[in-house]
Amino acid sequence: MLDCHTAHIACKFSELQTKIDRRTGKELEKEPKNIKSGDAAIVNLVPTKPMCVETFADYPPLGRFAVRDMRQTVAVGVIKEVNKKEKKVKADAKGGKEGEGKGKDGKGKDAGKGKGKDAGKGKDAGKGKGKK
């Protein structure tokens, strides 16, 4: 289980790339068979579901992670690189862009106007939510 920010998603260690020295950061072994407690390594992790992360250099809060097994912390680290999976975008029959239109998702011309008894008040103000 990989915990990053508020996400808790199962991940697979797809590849152990290099074992590195914790103090100098130099490469000790390329493609090691295993890593033990106290070792530092660069690994390739693949999440089972899509998750929102950033590199540690770009945005530190979304660049830290912990790997847990049965609620025991097994590893901690920072994200050096993100390989984004490209999402295929489908256009509707009208030729509009993705994200246009009306609906319950809060998009469209009525979004943010708020309907109901408490529209414009409290924490849900401007979100299109309210008591009916």
Side-chain angles (χ1 to χ4, degrees):
M1 186 65 64
L2 182 91
D3 295 343
C4 183
H5 203 245
T6 59
H8 312 288
I9 295 176
C11 282
K12 180 181 174 185
F13 282 81
S14 67
E15 180 185 9
L16 300 177
Q17 293 178 341
T18 59
K19 190 185 286 189
I20 56 176
D21 185 2
R22 292 180 70 178
R23 295 179 188 181
T24 62
K26 292 183 181 176
E27 184 179 309
L28 296 175
E29 184 181 347
K30 198 165 192 90
E31 296 183 12
K33 297 273 188 233
N34 57 25
I35 45 179
K36 298 177 184 172
S37 180
D39 288 346
I42 295 177
V43 299
N44 203 10
L45 289 169
V46 178
T48 56
K49 296 180 195 171
M51 65 185 298
C52 181
V53 295
E54 288 291 333
T55 61
F56 183 77
D58 290 344
Y59 191 66
L62 287 179
R64 292 185 192 96
F65 68 90
V67 179
R68 294 197 172 89
D69 183 35
M70 301 295 287
R71 292 194 178 179
Q72 289 262 320
T73 301
V74 177
V76 292
V78 296
I79 298 170
K80 296 267 189 187
E81 180 183 346
V82 177
N83 298 328
K84 295 179 183 174
K85 191 174 184 179
E86 292 299 319
K87 192 166 77 170
K88 294 178 183 175
V89 178
K90 293 182 181 178
D92 62 356
K94 296 175 188 173
K97 296 178 187 173
E98 184 180 279
E100 286 185 356
K102 301 174 201 167
K104 293 182 180 178
D105 59 352
K107 296 176 183 167
K109 65 181 178 182
D110 289 336
K113 291 187 180 175
K115 295 178 182 174
K117 183 179 176 183
D118 292 330
K121 300 178 190 173
K123 67 179 184 177
D124 291 330
K127 293 184 181 177
K129 298 177 183 177
K131 296 180 183 177
K132 293 183 180 179

